[in-house]
Amino acid sequence: MIRQKDRTLVIDLDGPDGNAYVLLGTAKRFARQLGLDEQKVSEEMRSGDYENLLEVFDGYFGDFVVLERSYLPK
């Protein structure tokens, strides 16, 4: 679920919006809106595992998006 808290978007990684393909699509949309190179962002996100995908997403969009989950990775 993507919800807005105050002026920050919150993406629940435990739900369907936490799917890697959904996050890639969301990142492409945000990149386009911010005038970033969406291909570069997408390639960086796909260059590793799921944790890498989250780190790259957070690096680009962490100022206005919170990635929330109920567990910590091992």
Side-chain angles (χ1 to χ4, degrees):
M1 166 191 273
I2 298 178
R3 60 187 163 88
Q4 190 166 352
K5 182 178 180 180
D6 300 320
R7 292 186 165 196
T8 303
L9 292 174
V10 179
I11 298 176
D12 179 8
L13 298 178
D14 296 328
D17 294 321
N19 177 289
Y21 293 109
V22 174
L23 290 169
L24 282 163
T26 301
K28 283 184 175 184
R29 189 177 80 243
F30 289 159
R32 195 174 314 118
Q33 291 172 346
L34 294 170
L36 301 173
D37 182 345
E38 63 186 89
Q39 185 67 30
K40 179 182 179 222
V41 172
S42 178
E43 286 175 7
E44 285 183 43
M45 289 177 69
R46 289 184 280 119
S47 69
D49 61 7
Y50 183 72
E51 292 304 315
N52 174 74
L53 180 136
L54 297 178
E55 287 178 25
V56 173
F57 186 100
D58 189 55
Y60 279 102
F61 311 112
D63 289 343
F64 61 93
V65 178
V66 173
L67 299 176
E68 182 178 84
R69 64 177 159 197
S70 60
Y71 68 92
L72 294 175
K74 294 180 181 182

